Amino acid sequence: MPWRGPQYAGEVPTLGWQVLGWMIDMLAAPDRAEYEPFTPTQEQADFILGFYELDPATGKRRYRRGLLSRPRGWGKSPLLAAISCAEALGPVVPDGWDADGEPVGMPWERVRTPLVQIAAVSEDQTKNTWTPLLEMLRLGPVMDAYPGLEPLDSFVNLPRGRMEQVTSSATSRKGNKGVFAVLDQTEEWTVSNGGRRLAQVLRSNATKIGGTTLESPNAFIPGMGSVAEESAAFAQAVVDGRTRGDGLLWDHREAPAETDLTDRESLVAGLRYAYGDSSDHPDGCVLHDPPCPPGWSPIDHIAASFWDTSNDPQVQRSDFLNQITHASDSWITQPEWAGVAAADKVVAEDEEIVLGFDGSRRRSHGVTDATALVGCRVRDGHLFLLGCWEQPDGLFGRDWQVPTVEVLAAVEEAFRRYRVVGMYADPAKWESHVATWEAKHGRRLKVKATMQHPIEWWMTGGRASLIVRALEKFRSSVVDGELTHDGSSVLTRHVLNSRRRESRSGIQIAKEHPESPRKIDAAVAAVLAWQCRVDALAKGLGKKKAARSGRVVVLR
């Protein structure tokens, strides 16, 4: 085998090694003047090894779904075509273990008649994968090895089964039991073009028979509600523990957030990272040691396109740096927020901090807003999430209520553990609790919202000008790099969910629409904490560094 793959050697059982061997033996590399065997790069091989990983306890495929997100020209289409061919004919179904304890695979036809589908929202999109697929079959040894194989222009007859393109409505696909489906360019699959429904049907059909699906988006634009965006939300929910679902192999890589489009060295470095093994840079790839040899993606040529004034910089970022940037009405962009992440910073116990709080209560309909508590170290403006209580997705969130006792305990723990010199809280629906905090802690606070109400800081009502100024201070501090944050996935998600909304007083923030399940409450709590820190600095606090160091304690 030409791949190193040390992370899989003897550690994780996978059918990937057999699948890779089958691809090399059976398939032709597409778009070649003469026959060459299809040989995945190291990076592509690593994905195959992961996609065909097995659960050691059950011996079954670990992933129901896969998502491979890379920039344009990376080589997704040939890889997807090769995987589709393997699913149609190769050893992709677990069949126990051999005498050495290694997993064994068998073709689908030994279990059921295979149907493999290449799906997109337009015929042109299906050709991305379909065209190289036909070349791989027609020019490869697979034609001799599988009598009865007929790669026709619009479909492929298998010795037993079929491969087909799918561009029709989702309803016409219902009941077609595909063992595998490619969902191509899902950043463009939306409700309006039927993509969301088509994705649901294809996944359901595969799930019924133990099959799999594989998405291949470029970077999506947040707020469009695309299939790729929904998959990203599911992946994040798994990471955050907001769902019991799993079974998704999420493989997205983008250029670093600090990639500077105006600096050639920085831009080339970002492109080399995004393109990985396919980069044609003479120094080889940046992913492996020793580096893989140069690939086919013209990095210098792509870099030059960024300075063509007729090209939209945001489209360039999405297409070639694979950066998930922002919706047109985003308040803070992903690169801006990622640029001030500092996960390695620690906040010691007994350090001087301020708190921001945004609460919620159960709603009679829709998804209940989240409740969030955010801390900010006064001396350097480092934000860290102390707690966020969110309604779980799906059935597990039915009849959910904010765990008030847990929230109150988290607030008290913050006051016990740190030197809290100020706290700003939006009291909406939490008026009695905010009043209790003021009575208990108000006298010790060095920063007070008002003398009468030291903690109460309304984010609604007749305080529009104050709210606008607080939001602008926060955003400018992000853009100018004056604050840092702990990299919390929850806080990041809430900040990036926030949308700009014009008011008579200036820019405010809101959810994309009032009933949206994409919450922003942790972002609001962060703004309150930052405003409290600004007021603390105005009083001369935060000039002395804490004497002790420790670790961030996140309360749940």
Side-chain angles (χ1 to χ4, degrees), residues 2 17 34 92 101 121 157 164 193 200 204 243 246 268 286 315 383 413 436 470-471 504 526 551:
W17 295 112
E34 297 181 357
V92 299
V121 293
N157 280 325
E164 65 180 18
N193 60 27
Q200 178 65 61
S204 296
T243 177
D246 56 9
V268 168
V286 297
V315 174
L383 292 161
E413 178 68 5
T436 299
L471 291 167
R504 285 181 294 180
R551 60 187 180 87

Side-chain angles (χ1 to χ4, degrees), residues 7-272:
Q7 64 271 42
Y8 289 95
E11 295 182 9
V12 180
T14 176
L15 293 177
W17 295 112
Q18 293 182 57
V19 172
L20 286 167
W22 185 92
M23 289 177 177
I24 288 180
D25 292 342
M26 294 295 167
L27 302 177
D31 197 23
R32 299 290 193 277
E34 297 181 357
Y35 168 77
E36 295 178 24
F38 173 74
T39 306
T41 66
Q42 169 75 43
E43 184 181 2
Q44 292 173 340
D46 284 344
F47 177 80
I48 291 171
L49 293 171
F51 188 58
Y52 288 99
E53 185 178 321
L54 303 181
D55 183 333
T58 64
K60 296 181 179 180
R61 294 267 298 270
R62 178 178 175 184
Y63 298 111
R64 296 177 294 104
R65 297 170 52 186
L67 185 146
L68 178 64
S69 174
R70 293 293 189 275
R72 295 189 186 279
W74 175 84
K76 293 193 299 294
S77 295
L79 179 61
L80 294 170
I83 293 174
S84 299
C85 293
E87 288 284 342
L89 299 165
V92 299
V93 179
D95 190 28
W97 314 85
D98 65 16
D100 297 321
E102 296 298 323
V104 176
M106 62 180 174
W108 269 109
E109 69 172 5
R110 287 177 51 186
V111 180
R112 63 184 315 113
T113 301
L115 172 64
V116 172
Q117 298 170 311
I118 310 300
V121 293
S122 72
E123 186 174 350
D124 286 343
Q125 285 184 357
T126 63
K127 291 179 180 177
N128 293 339
T129 301
W130 192 255
T131 298
L133 182 150
L134 293 180
E135 286 191 65
M136 289 175 154
L137 293 176
R138 289 170 175 172
L139 303 178
V142 68
M143 291 296 295
D144 295 326
Y146 291 83
L149 178 64
E150 294 183 296
L152 305 176
D153 287 346
S154 56
F155 62 91
V156 174
N157 280 325
L158 304 173
R160 183 185 176 201
R162 176 183 173 99
M163 304 177 77
E164 65 180 18
Q165 303 172 75
V166 175
T167 58
S168 55
S169 67
T171 53
S172 69
R173 298 291 102 200
K174 201 165 186 176
N176 291 349
K177 298 177 181 179
V179 299
F180 177 74
V182 166
L183 284 61
D184 200 12
Q185 292 187 244
T186 51
E187 79 279 6
E188 298 180 12
W189 292 35
T190 62
V191 171
S192 62
N193 60 27
R196 289 269 293 274
R197 176 60 177 158
L198 177 58
Q200 178 65 61
V201 170
L202 292 172
R203 289 176 188 146
S204 296
N205 289 340
T207 297
K208 286 186 292 188
I209 57 175
T212 54
T213 61
L214 178 55
E215 288 182 50
S216 57
N218 294 103
F220 62 84
I221 296 177
M224 284 184 60
S226 66
V227 168
E229 184 176 9
E230 292 299 311
S231 295
F234 172 53
Q236 193 60 64
V238 173
V239 171
D240 295 342
R242 293 181 290 111
T243 177
R244 296 183 186 178
D246 56 9
L248 170 64
L249 174 61
W250 169 266
D251 191 336
H252 167 83
R253 191 176 70 248
E254 61 184 67
E258 62 269 19
T259 300
D260 185 352
L261 305 191
T262 66
D263 180 84
R264 187 182 186 283
E265 184 177 350
S266 175
L267 178 56
V268 168
L271 289 168
R272 289 184 66 194

Side-chain angles (χ1 to χ4, degrees), residues 299-316:
I299 297 301
D300 286 340
H301 186 75
I302 295 171
S305 72
F306 278 79
W307 303 317
D308 185 335
T309 57
S310 62
N311 290 331
D312 185 332
Q314 290 306 115
V315 174
Q316 294 289 104

Side-chain angles (χ1 to χ4, degrees), residues 48 65-66 88 205-206 234 244 335 345 352 388 390 402 462 523 554:
I48 291 171
R65 297 170 52 186
N205 289 340
F234 172 53
R244 296 183 186 178
K345 285 191 175 183
E352 198 172 70
C388 186
E390 297 183 272
V402 177
V554 179

